[in-house]
Amino acid sequence: MDPVKEMPVEQLINELQSSGVRLVDPKSGGTTRRGGAGPTDHTAMTFGDTTVMVPVHTAPAFESPYLVEKPDGSGNSVITRNGAPIGKVKFNLRPRFYELSTADGIPYSHIATLHSRDVLATTVLQTCIRYQSRTKACKFCAIGQSLAAGRTIERKTPEQLGEVAKAAVELDGVKHMVMTTGTPPGRDRGAKIMCESAIGVKAAVDIPIQGQCEPPEDNEWFQRMADAGIDSLGMHLEAVTDAVRAHVMPGKAQVSMERYFEAFAAAVDVFGKAQVSTYILAGLGDTKEQILDVCRRLADIGVYPFVVPFVPVGGTPMESSPSPKPAFMHEILAPLADILHNAGIRSMDIKAGCAKCGACSALSSYEKRLQS
Ligand code: SF4
């Protein structure tokens, strides 16, 4: 984007992720995704050397003051705020690996998708023990939507993941991979399927992988995941206080904060400082002080707290809940960048995954400001 005179880039990201954008030409907005795990109803937008995920299909986005005009011949689009141009953005071209299908006819895009500019992301198991019951499901989650709409398949085999990862690396220059999963039944809580999937990918192509699962009951799984080829691990708190956890994610809250912290410490012993991270969704009900308190505890034990703004997804019980205001994000992310800096934890040192990608939050831009 051209220099935005009145606003630092990290605050512009907060604004865009809070308000979303409207697209004059919906076809210009790159490859957007709807439903599923991770950033849904978003598109990747690049300004300068920064790529961010911005909501385009959410209710707030339809009323956003930010409007993206049709692209010019070189693919740049002017973005305006309340009608005044503030710079230029670019969208991803459709990845080349999306044109391919497996021998049995499954489109590669139903197995994994491109996130941001150079991240391959997949949900290896598109069902979840939590999601099957309305009283247990996380209220913000849309993991079943893309499956119901036929845009993905329920279980991606290790061979399929390897085949698609190889193509994405060779055709589109993908640099790292995120593998998440719905939580299957059983004590491993997804760690086993992470192992099987990582083995399949690493047999086909050498790409750093972040695995994401709930804390397994047995800490032995951390070494097994590392041995299978997982380079970085995400175990996602989402909310940080017992009251909000019980309200927003009643099933997942059965795994206590105490167990998460034990698991974080054991995982850092295996994967190393900053190679373990956790997603925290700001805007679910925790206060900024509560979020920062937990982030301090995490940084102290070498875990990267990836704080992102909650974005409501249509069709979920929280679809009408607001995203946090940009000021709320700023008041968390600015001090959090200091906490990380003082703890010697940097997103750029992470081998793979969301905290390395950073496109779902302005946090890495706050970090860069401290490093420059
Ligand atoms: S931060 Fe994670 S979920 Fe967000 S775009 Fe990057 S890889 Fe995808």
Side-chain angles (χ1 to χ4, degrees), residues 33 37-39 44 52-53 114-117 119-121 176-178 210 212 279 306 308 353-361:
R33 1 177 355 242
V52 291
M53 297 303 287
L114 183 74
H115 280 203
S116 187
R117 268 185 302 188
V119 189
L120 185 67
H176 56 117
M177 183 168 183
V178 177
Q210 184 203 31
Q212 301 182 351
Y279 236 86
F306 187 45
V308 310
C354 290
K356 181 180 186 65
C357 162
C360 284
S361 168

